[in-house]
Amino acid sequence: MGRRDEESFRQFAESRSPALYRSACLMTGGDIHLAEDLVQETLGRMFTVWNRRRCIENPDAYARKALVRVCLTHHRRRSSHEQPAPRLPDQPVEIGDTSLRVTLLQALATLSPKDRAVLVLRYWQDLSVEQTAEAMRTSSSAVRSRSSRALAKLRDELGQTSFSELTAV
């Protein structure tokens, strides 16, 4: 890889890492350490194909697809049952109503990895049904039915009043 390609990848990684990390946090049910690992693996995969960028029309979409695939693959592995330490040494400073965020992350954690991925792509990343289907390598009807069932599960988990408060955040 040439110096120009390395520099363009570095710029891409710096600009897209925060958004990928936020999506990964949601897809992992709030496991920040796993989210960091998934983003690193995603960027590593992107780095290996970056010099073939002419084959990648939209690097942002490619990164989203790669993140979803890395996340789903991780959940299929046996080693994905590792549990993080109960107390973290560093606590991030959060702005806003943290109780709503914690409630949402706990509710998302009760969903299957595919359900979380659909909800994150559709409602967090604001992708269309077709874009979500492409990222997850499934049909549009599967995305619609999965998102409908996942939202129903979230409503049951959170209760209708809490759910309307969360969607306003």
Side-chain angles (χ1 to χ4, degrees):
M1 183 181 294
R3 185 168 175 82
R4 181 183 301 161
D5 284 339
E6 286 182 20
E7 180 62 26
S8 67
F9 178 78
R10 187 186 62 74
Q11 290 173 352
F12 173 81
E14 286 177 357
S15 67
R16 294 301 301 156
S17 289
L20 289 172
Y21 174 72
R22 287 188 299 272
S23 295
C25 282
L26 292 171
M27 283 187 219
T28 60
D31 186 341
I32 60 174
H33 300 291
L34 177 57
E36 289 172 349
D37 292 343
L38 296 177
V39 170
Q40 286 301 316
E41 188 171 340
T42 299
L43 291 175
R45 289 182 182 190
M46 289 214 51
F47 184 76
T48 61
V49 297
W50 191 257
N51 61 343
R52 294 180 274 164
R53 229 179 26 250
R54 62 188 168 275
C55 299
I56 304 172
E57 293 179 21
N58 185 346
D60 290 337
Y62 188 92
R64 275 194 305 270
K65 284 182 199 179
L67 178 63
V68 168
R69 291 177 186 147
V70 165
C71 184
L72 293 176
T73 299
H74 173 76
H75 287 287
R76 288 184 199 118
R77 292 185 207 142
R78 290 183 199 182
S79 65
S80 68
H81 300 293
E82 297 174 5
Q83 294 294 319
R87 195 174 134 246
L88 299 175
D90 298 328
Q91 293 295 323
V93 176
E94 295 187 30
I95 300 171
D97 190 357
T98 57
S99 64
L100 284 177
R101 290 181 187 177
V102 168
T103 303
L104 178 60
L105 288 174
Q106 288 172 341
L108 281 172
T110 65
L111 300 176
S112 72
K114 286 185 180 181
D115 286 347
R116 281 195 305 263
V118 165
L119 293 182
V120 169
L121 292 173
R122 287 282 293 127
Y123 301 105
W124 176 261
Q125 300 225 343
D126 201 26
L127 296 183
S128 69
V129 171
E130 292 75 21
Q131 290 170 322
T132 303
E134 183 182 337
M136 295 187 66
R137 292 182 177 172
T138 189
S139 67
S140 297
S141 60
V143 169
R144 283 191 291 275
S145 63
R146 188 173 285 280
S147 68
S148 175
R149 285 192 308 263
L151 285 173
K153 288 178 190 175
L154 274 182
R155 285 185 186 105
D156 288 345
E157 184 73 28
L158 297 171
Q160 190 60 39
T161 56
S162 297
F163 186 75
S164 59
E165 291 174 15
L166 287 171
T167 55
V169 172

